[in-house]
């Protein structure tokens, strides 16, 4: 990129300069040549009139006229030849050809009235061949040939070319240095981003880039930092999850070990004690099993919506079946289960996952309830969504903890959890299921009064997908 920018800048810079140079020098040359030729032409027409008036073509040229022609030839650094209508050279400022006959196509054509202008290939001189006409009869009585040097113009042109080459070299050098600085300044922050990305991919996740300067570069560094923050958060939550999982799995193991050790350390343990301890060990194994089952369910849900088995499901039936299954637990605590449905609702859901989510909510409403309390499940819908509400008359959730209950392993009352058999994963699973259905879940709760969870799930899964794309 560095090289690319450098070369591009140099290339366009030099091309622009060279083109301007060539165009300017050419313009000067054209303008100067045209000016010189028109000067010669206007001088010539004046002197031709004098020649015609003096009758100098037929008789001998007067010495004053001759002098004037000599001066003019000297001035134009050229030569003037005057020929009569027989093509005999009457006057020659070089004095070498007088009396000789001029054999020239231009002169012959000029006698017929056509003037001619010729510029040499090297643009060193211009030669005008002009007719001398009698002022009264208008007959062509001779030919006036003037050659004027353009060497001055060529010299100036060469001088300009030399000067411009020097300027161009300076400009080239300056451009080179500027391009070098500019491309370096442009690529340096990018190099730093690359270095930081390399560093981050080696595992140094704390590295941040901070860059000032061009808007785009600042944007890149900002986006990179946002991405890094996300990676860090993910990494943090992964570490927290792993540590929580280890802790949760270790607790029942420790209990089992303590129970088994105390049995082994005693001689002749009575059978009832064996039974009691083994029942406890059995409970702990069951708890361990539940945690692992919940964890597996959560991991499966994390594999995203590719795993969804969407079908048209009657939500009324789904809720009735779930509540029937949970009835024994409710009865155990003398809790009344109420189902309220405003209409028959059929929605596109993954039946197994949705059943898991609803079971968790209703089971929680029973678990965190009071003896003789109630749990009310109500179902409603509009043209777009299903609304499911699970309310209870239970212990409630403190306001500052309501946000956290959806986190994995989060439990409000850690000590109660063992008694209720909770793993802290239930609501995390429910939330995941709801999100997979592009729905939302909300909680409102008051301590010692009760809790209400409200679910909103789109009726049509494909419609919703289209909407979110
Ligand atoms: P658990 O397996 O502990 O029930 P959850 O993820 O299902 O885990 O719930 C997280 C925590 O939220 C529970 O430990 C409990 O403290 C609180 N909670 C959930 N539902 C209710 C409810 N209906 N009433 C009161 N507290 C609740």
């Amino acid at each position: 990129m560095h090289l690319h920018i450098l070369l591009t800048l140099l290339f366009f810079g030099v091309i622009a300069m060279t083109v301007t140079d060539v165009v300017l020098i050419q313009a000067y040359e054209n303008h100067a040549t045209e000016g010189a030729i028109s000067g010669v032409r206007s001088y010539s027409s004046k002197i031709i009139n004098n020649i015609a008036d003096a009758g100098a073509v037929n008789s001998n040229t007067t010495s004053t006229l001759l002098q004037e022609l000599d001066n003019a030839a000297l001035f134009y650094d050229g030569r003037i030849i005057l020929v009569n209508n027989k093509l005999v050279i009457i006057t020659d400022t070089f004095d070498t050809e007088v009396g000789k006959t001029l054999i020239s196509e231009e002169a012959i054509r000029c006698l017929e009235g056509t003037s001619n202008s010729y510029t040499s290939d090297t643009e060193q001189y211009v030669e005008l061949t002009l007719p001398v006409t009698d002022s009264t009869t208008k007959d062509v009585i001779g030919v006036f040939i003037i050659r004027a040097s353009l060497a001055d113009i060529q010299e100036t042109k060469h001088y300009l070319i030399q000067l411009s080459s020097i300027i161009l070299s300076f400009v080239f050098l300056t451009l080179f240095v500027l391009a070098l600085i500019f491309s370096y300044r442009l690529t340096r922050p990018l190099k730093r981003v690359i270095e930081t990305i390399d560093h981050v991919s080696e595992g140094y996740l704390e590295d941040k880039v901070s860059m000032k300067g061009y808007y785009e570069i600042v944007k890149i560094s900002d986006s990179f930092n946002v991405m890094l923050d996300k990676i860090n958060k993910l990494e943090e939550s992964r570490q927290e999850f792993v540590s929580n999982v280890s802790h949760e799995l270790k607790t029942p193991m420790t209990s089992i070990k303590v129970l088994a050790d105390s049995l082994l350390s005693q001689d002749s343990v009575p059978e009832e004690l064996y039974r009691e301890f083994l029942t406890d060990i059995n409970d702990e194994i069951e708890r361990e099993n539940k945690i692992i089952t919940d964890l597996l369910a959560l991991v499966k849900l994390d594999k995203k919506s590719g795993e969804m088995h969407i079908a048209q499901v009657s939500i009324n039936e789904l809720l009735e079946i779930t509540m029937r299954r949970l009835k024994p637990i409710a009865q155990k605590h003398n809790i009344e289960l109420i189902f309220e449905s405003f209409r028959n609702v059929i929605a596109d859901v993954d039946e197994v996952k949705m059943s898991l989510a609803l079971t968790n909510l209703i089971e929680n409403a029973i678990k965190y309830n009071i003896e003789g309390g109630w749990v009310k499940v109500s179902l409603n819908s509009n043209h777009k969504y299903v609304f499911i509400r699970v309310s209870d008359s239970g212990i409630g959730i403190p306001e500052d903890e309501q946000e956290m209950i959806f986190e994995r392993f989060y439990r409000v009352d850690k000590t109660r959890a063992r008694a209720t058999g909770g793993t802290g994963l239930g609501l995390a699973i429910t939330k995941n299921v709801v999100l997979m259905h592009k729905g939302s879940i909300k909680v409102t709760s008051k301590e010692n009064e009760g809790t209400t969870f409200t679910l909103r799930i789109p009726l049509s899964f494909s419609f919703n997908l289209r909407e979110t794309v």
Side-chain angles (χ1 to χ4, degrees):
M1 191 175 168
H2 199 53
L3 192 74
H4 201 97
I5 295 171
L6 190 78
L7 288 180
T8 313
L9 282 175
L10 274 182
F11 181 74
F12 285 110
V14 169
I15 290 250
M17 277 297 293
T18 316
V19 168
T20 320
D21 229 44
V22 169
V23 169
L24 281 180
I25 291 174
Q26 194 60 48
Y28 159 76
E29 190 185 8
N30 291 346
H31 185 72
T33 310
E34 271 168 29
I37 294 174
S38 89
V40 175
R41 202 182 280 280
S42 69
Y43 166 77
S44 302
S45 61
K46 227 190 292 159
I47 200 86
I48 284 172
N49 283 341
N50 290 348
I51 292 167
D53 290 347
V57 182
N58 297 320
S59 59
N60 275 342
T61 319
T62 61
S63 59
T64 20
L65 197 59
L66 209 58
Q67 187 61 48
E68 193 178 342
L69 290 181
D70 274 340
N71 287 344
L74 206 64
F75 178 74
Y76 288 116
D77 189 16
R79 181 180 191 178
I80 296 173
I81 291 174
L82 191 61
V83 178
N84 68 10
N85 56 0
K86 306 267 176 337
L87 291 175
V88 176
I89 297 172
I90 294 183
T91 308
D92 173 12
T93 52
F94 279 12
D95 272 341
T96 50
E97 310 292 323
V98 179
K100 290 185 185 166
T101 307
L102 179 74
I103 302 162
S104 139
E105 205 180 307
E106 285 85 24
I108 296 168
R109 263 200 270 124
C110 198
L111 281 177
E112 286 158 9
T114 320
S115 56
N116 184 60
S117 157
Y118 166 79
T119 313
S120 75
D121 289 342
T122 49
E123 317 229 338
Q124 291 290 335
Y125 65 88
V126 61
E127 194 175 277
L128 300 181
T129 311
L130 305 164
V132 182
T133 40
D134 188 294
S135 50
T136 44
T137 60
K138 300 288 176 213
D139 287 339
V140 179
I141 51 172
V143 176
F144 179 84
I145 301 164
I146 179 165
R147 177 184 287 197
S149 168
L150 298 176
D152 276 358
I153 295 171
Q154 288 307 311
E155 232 170 70
T156 315
K157 182 185 162 185
H158 284 132
Y159 169 73
L160 283 178
I161 288 174
Q162 268 174 2
L163 194 69
S164 76
S165 317
I166 295 168
I167 294 173
L168 238 150
S169 315
F170 271 117
V171 169
F172 180 81
L173 261 176
T174 320
L175 258 179
F176 183 79
V177 174
L178 284 181
L180 211 66
I181 295 170
F182 177 65
S183 66
Y184 176 73
R185 280 193 52 162
L186 202 70
T187 51
R188 190 181 49 174
L190 291 177
K191 267 193 201 142
R192 274 184 42 208
V193 176
I194 294 168
E195 272 166 24
T196 318
I197 292 175
D198 284 348
H199 215 218
V200 167
S201 36
E202 276 165 23
Y204 297 95
L205 292 176
E206 281 76 37
D207 275 22
K208 287 242 159 123
V209 246
S210 132
M211 272 174 307
K212 293 179 189 79
Y214 298 106
Y215 173 79
E216 288 78 4
I217 303 270
V218 174
K219 272 272 153 225
I220 290 176
S221 94
D222 285 353
S223 306
F224 178 78
N225 288 339
V226 169
M227 188 189 76
L228 209 58
D229 278 345
K230 280 194 181 151
I231 294 177
N232 273 321
K233 275 202 192 110
L234 263 177
E235 177 60 16
E236 238 170 62
S237 85
R238 190 187 68 85
Q239 277 175 8
E240 198 184 303
F241 182 61
V242 169
S243 104
N244 282 343
V245 168
S246 325
H247 177 76
E248 295 295 328
L249 291 179
K250 217 174 159 229
T251 320
M253 287 296 206
T254 317
S255 304
I256 293 169
K257 177 94 173 102
V258 170
L259 289 165
D261 276 351
S262 75
L263 278 184
L264 287 173
S265 63
Q266 296 174 44
D267 295 327
S268 58
V269 185
E271 201 194 316
E272 303 84 67
L273 202 65
Y274 256 119
R275 281 203 163 276
E276 195 192 319
F277 275 34
L278 279 177
T279 312
D280 287 348
I281 289 177
N282 199 32
D283 285 350
E284 291 299 334
I285 291 173
E286 226 165 67
R287 185 171 160 71
E288 182 94 23
N289 202 16
K290 188 164 177 3
I291 297 173
I292 292 171
T293 313
D294 278 1
L295 269 177
L296 286 178
L298 204 58
V299 169
K300 255 198 200 160
L301 289 177
D302 273 351
K303 282 191 188 158
K304 299 290 170 219
S305 45
E307 303 268 306
M308 297 281 272
H309 301 289
I310 298 294
Q312 291 228 311
V313 175
S314 158
I315 307 296
N316 299 61
E317 272 176 36
L318 190 65
L319 282 170
E320 274 163 20
I321 294 169
T322 312
M323 290 174 79
R324 215 176 300 137
R325 251 197 273 127
L326 293 171
K327 208 164 182 179
I329 317 174
Q331 277 172 345
K332 220 158 98 188
H333 297 284
N334 226 353
I335 289 165
E336 190 189 358
L337 275 185
I338 310 155
F339 179 44
E340 182 184 62
S341 161
F342 293 90
R343 64 193 80 222
N344 265 334
V345 182
I346 304 221
D348 284 349
V349 294
D350 181 319
E351 190 169 358
V352 177
K353 291 191 178 76
M354 193 49 76
S355 157
L356 189 65
L358 295 172
T359 306
N360 283 340
L361 285 183
I362 303 170
E363 202 179 346
N364 277 351
I366 299 169
K367 272 196 309 193
Y368 301 104
N369 217 317
I370 47 165
E371 195 66 30
W374 52 262
V375 172
K376 192 161 116 187
V377 179
S378 64
L379 170 66
N380 203 350
S381 72
N382 62 13
H383 67 290
K384 237 172 152 183
Y385 297 105
V386 190
F387 299 96
I388 301 168
R389 223 172 44 212
V390 181
S391 326
D392 63 57
S393 58
I395 57 169
I397 306 163
E399 199 162 343
D400 54 336
E401 296 195 62
Q402 287 173 14
E403 278 267 302
M404 270 99 79
I405 53 169
F406 296 101
E407 304 274 321
R408 294 158 173 185
F409 293 116
Y410 192 85
R411 284 178 302 229
V412 176
D413 185 348
K414 279 49 176 189
T415 48
R416 250 182 89 107
R418 293 193 73 78
T420 52
T423 59
L425 294 170
L427 284 181
I429 292 174
T430 302
K431 187 164 184 183
N432 259 15
V433 170
V434 171
L435 291 183
M436 282 172 92
H437 284 84
K438 315 279 177 207
S440 65
I441 182 165
K442 265 195 236 144
V443 62
T444 52
S445 181
K446 210 155 188 202
E447 263 185 289
N448 301 319
E449 276 186 27
T451 306
T452 301
F453 283 94
T454 312
L455 257 68
R456 194 188 73 174
I457 312 281
L459 280 171
S460 159
F461 191 71
S462 53
F463 158 75
N464 189 61
L465 271 187
R466 234 181 294 129
E467 230 189 19
T468 48
V469 162

